[in-house]
Structures are given as structure tokens and as C-alpha cells.
Amino acid sequence: MKQSMIVMCLCVVACIAGCHPGSSDARINTATGVQSDTLANNIITRPIGNFVSFMAGEGIEITNVIDRVKPNGFLEVQVEGYNHAKGRRIFDYRVEWLDRDGMQVRTVMTQWAHKSVMPESSFIIGPLVAPSRQATDFRINTRVNKTMK
């Protein structure tokens, strides 16, 4: 009886973790440590820490992505989000511009930039403007900023 109760509790926790909202847009990749952790991040080495973080709702959530083509033909992107953490979140982001075939548009402007977001507050990244008219899509990656902690 005791074992079946433990197994049932673990199943409920796994189902809840599967429902955790990530980015609302597949083109935005929020790295572990930037976004809210879930049990799926590292179930072997950090199950308790991930569960607590998941339940607390700590981290960055991407709430909206707006993209449009400007009158001059350049793609423009703006990312909106919210920091659920009780502390400031500092992370890096980089935009990769893609052409209509999905190939990366090479540019010297593709560099990591950092973003600092105050606790429990909204933020905006952008507007970001493509380097050429060939860019018709984009992908944004994030990583934890280790130098600004």
C-alpha cells in the first residue's frame, strides 16, 4: 500500500511537470537556468531541486513574440517575457537570422548580448532588426550569464 501511494504521487508530479509552460514560440530556446526548471531537465541528478523550482515557478517565461517585415523589407522581432523569480535574472541571448530555405544568414552582428531582468517583472528584448532582406525567419538562443552573477 505504501509503495503504491509513492508511485501514484510520483505519477501525479510527472504529469504536472509535463504541463509546465515553456516558450510559447518554438523559435525561442530558453536554456536551463534561464527558464523555469522542470522535472524533465535532469531527473537523475537534480530531482528535488527541480521539483521545488518548478513548484515555486522561478525563472524566465517567454509570453509573446512579435515579428513583422518593415516597409524597407527588413524583418523586425520583439520578444516579451516575465521573470517569475524572486531575484534578478541575468542571461545572454543571440539571434540567428535564417533565409527562406532555413539557412543561416551570416553576419558579424550575430553575437551574444546580455539581459538583466528585475524580480517579478516584465521585460522586452528588441526590437531586433535583421541584417539583410534575405532574412525571413529567426531563432533566438539563450544561456546563463556566468560573468554577471
Side-chain angles (χ1 to χ4, degrees):
M1 179 71 176
K2 196 176 200 179
Q3 288 179 336
S4 62
M5 188 63 135
I6 291 171
V7 169
M8 191 166 85
C9 287
L10 289 174
C11 288
V12 168
V13 167
C15 288
I16 292 171
C19 297
H20 183 265
S23 174
S24 60
D25 194 309
R27 298 172 291 187
I28 311 298
N29 173 28
T30 51
T32 301
V34 174
Q35 70 175 0
S36 297
D37 288 340
T38 66
L39 289 174
N41 285 344
N42 196 344
I43 193 73
I44 296 171
T45 61
R46 298 185 332 179
I48 296 170
N50 283 346
F51 177 71
V52 170
S53 180
F54 167 73
M55 294 306 289
E58 295 179 349
I60 297 294
E61 176 187 5
I62 303 302
T63 57
N64 194 20
V65 179
I66 303 167
D67 61 292
R68 67 179 178 188
V69 177
K70 295 174 66 169
N72 61 5
F74 287 81
L75 180 62
E76 182 177 41
V77 176
Q78 179 172 295
V79 177
E80 300 170 354
Y82 190 83
N83 179 11
H84 292 279
K86 304 277 187 240
R88 183 173 64 148
R89 287 289 175 137
I90 301 172
F91 60 95
D92 297 332
Y93 66 93
R94 180 176 67 187
V95 181
E96 295 174 351
W97 300 101
L98 308 172
D99 67 13
R100 69 173 180 257
D101 297 322
M103 299 294 291
Q104 186 174 2
V105 176
R106 299 278 180 192
T107 174
V108 296
M109 295 177 0
T110 302
Q111 298 178 17
W112 289 100
H114 79 277
K115 183 74 175 175
S116 176
V117 183
M118 297 305 290
E120 299 178 332
S121 64
S122 299
F123 67 92
I124 293 176
I125 298 174
L128 307 165
V129 180
S132 74
R133 289 182 184 92
Q134 292 174 326
T136 59
D137 203 1
F138 65 95
R139 180 173 46 230
I140 298 176
N141 292 305
T142 63
R143 68 180 183 192
V144 174
N145 184 308
K146 297 186 188 305
T147 61
M148 298 296 288
K149 281 193 168 187

